[in-house]
Amino acid sequence: MVYCSRCARYFVNEHALEQHQDDSSQHNICHDCDKDFATYHGLKQHWINARRHHYCQDCDEHFDDEDELEAHYEDSHFYCEPCNKLFDSAHGLHAHNRQSHHYCPDCRRLFQNANNLQHHLRSTLHAGSTVPCPGKKCKKIFVSGAALILHLESGTCPSRITREQVNRVAAKYDKQHVITNPARMIAYGESGAGQSVTTWATERAWNGDRYECFLCHREYRTLAALNQHLASPAHEEKMYRCPRGYSGCGADEQCNIRRFNSKVQDYLGDLTSNMKRLRL
């Protein structure tokens, strides 16, 4: 004879006891964990809370692993993955994301941090492109003056504008030295005129294994690659600074506030407008 203490009943053998437990509402068994609960609610709470179970309580459905459960949540429910929460409606999830996350309500996208969100909001998707390139044969339009300047400095503009030409325009029109360091603008002068120094390497840069930059000692496989490095802004005098007067830090070309601060964006817009007056 075997005894069921919860029901205070005897059974002739183990098989009869198991049959009783399966049929009785007094027994709600998790066979994976070998636990018996007095109510079905208690069993469900166990499935919800126990890490070994991957259970959707809304659908009363089990899944093989956490990935399958999350995929089910995303496909069939209004699910916030970072918070691991389900919502009754799309509106509820939308309101939660607006209050709790770095979230674009128009695109309904989450971002890892505030900077990523702001970068997205300033993209062409939201801000639109309103700053045309003044270079000849270039039809590109940019979202900001800073983006245009990066384009011009890169040397990829069809007009063949170089960083040196951008520096000359900055030196000419930045009369108040908002973004330029006057102590480092001797080569360009207040009018933007002046001559720049071009540096290049010859076969003498070969050190027996690679072509070596005599300024920073970086090594390159080809002489052309070394000269491309020397022609880049890598070793140019850093004539730009983060503007203190516009909530900047004053550092020389070390932070990105000029790309994001609205006042600095306006200033760069005025600067790039002046470029249109030149024959670029």
Side-chain angles (χ1 to χ4, degrees):
M1 298 287 288
V2 290
Y3 182 68
C4 174
S5 58
R6 181 171 298 164
C7 301
R9 289 180 57 187
Y10 286 95
F11 296 88
V12 295
N13 52 42
E14 288 287 346
H15 178 73
L17 175 59
E18 290 175 2
Q19 187 67 44
H20 158 72
Q21 291 173 337
D22 289 340
D23 295 339
S24 172
S25 61
Q26 299 298 316
H27 298 275
N28 301 271
I29 301 174
C30 174
H31 295 286
D32 291 335
C33 300
D34 195 24
K35 290 185 177 181
D36 189 353
F37 297 88
T39 63
Y40 183 66
H41 175 74
L43 175 59
K44 288 187 66 172
Q45 287 301 118
H46 164 72
W47 287 335
I48 294 168
N49 297 327
R51 295 181 62 86
R52 70 175 298 176
H53 294 289
H54 311 289
Y55 173 71
C56 175
Q57 57 181 315
D58 289 353
C59 301
D60 193 19
E61 187 175 355
H62 292 269
F63 296 87
D64 292 335
D65 53 42
E66 191 67 24
D67 289 340
E68 283 194 10
L69 177 60
E70 287 191 4
H72 165 74
Y73 284 158
E74 292 174 357
D75 292 341
S76 305
H77 299 284
F78 303 102
Y79 176 57
C80 174
E81 182 180 357
C83 299
N84 194 28
K85 287 184 177 180
L86 298 181
F87 294 86
D88 294 334
S89 65
H91 176 74
L93 175 59
H94 181 65
H96 164 77
N97 285 333
R98 295 187 66 172
Q99 295 173 3
S100 305
H101 299 293
H102 304 295
Y103 179 66
C104 174
D106 294 331
C107 301
R108 304 211 168 191
R109 285 181 58 191
L110 295 179
F111 294 86
Q112 291 184 346
N113 52 55
N115 283 339
N116 288 355
L117 173 58
Q118 291 304 315
H119 182 71
H120 166 75
L121 293 175
R122 277 188 287 266
S123 69
T124 55
L125 184 63
H126 289 283
S129 298
T130 58
V131 183
C133 177
K136 292 180 180 178
K137 300 179 181 180
C138 187
K139 298 181 180 180
K140 290 186 176 181
I141 304 177
F142 298 88
V143 71
S144 66
L148 169 58
I149 289 176
L150 289 175
H151 161 71
L152 296 174
E153 288 183 334
S154 69
T156 60
C157 182
S159 64
R160 297 184 179 179
I161 295 174
T162 64
R163 180 181 170 93
E164 177 190 347
Q165 290 173 289
V166 175
N167 290 348
R168 290 183 187 281
V169 175
K172 184 175 182 179
Y173 290 104
D174 187 21
K175 301 296 186 182
Q176 303 301 318
H177 301 301
V178 175
I179 62 171
T180 55
N181 187 339
R184 298 183 176 182
M185 293 178 59
I186 299 174
Y188 296 98
E190 291 296 324
S191 65
Q195 295 182 349
S196 62
V197 177
T198 302
T199 305
W200 70 92
T202 66
E203 290 293 340
R204 297 180 64 182
W206 182 258
N207 62 13
D209 181 49
R210 300 287 178 90
Y211 290 97
E212 181 179 345
C213 174
F214 67 94
L215 295 172
C216 65
H217 304 292
R218 291 183 62 181
E219 296 180 338
Y220 297 86
R221 292 180 179 274
T222 65
L223 181 60
L226 172 57
N227 279 319
Q228 184 178 7
H229 162 72
L230 291 172
S232 75
H235 298 301
E236 284 189 7
E237 187 76 8
K238 299 187 185 304
M239 60 175 281
Y240 299 104
R241 63 183 177 184
C242 182
R244 290 182 183 276
Y246 290 80
S247 303
C249 63
D252 292 329
E253 302 188 39
Q254 291 179 356
C255 78
N256 291 325
I257 192 170
R258 69 177 185 276
R259 301 184 189 179
F260 303 115
N261 183 287
S262 60
K263 292 182 179 179
V264 177
Q265 288 279 17
D266 292 341
Y267 184 83
L268 289 174
D270 293 339
L271 183 61
T272 52
S273 294
N274 285 320
M275 290 182 181
K276 299 176 185 178
R277 303 175 188 175
L278 305 180
R279 292 182 60 86
L280 300 178

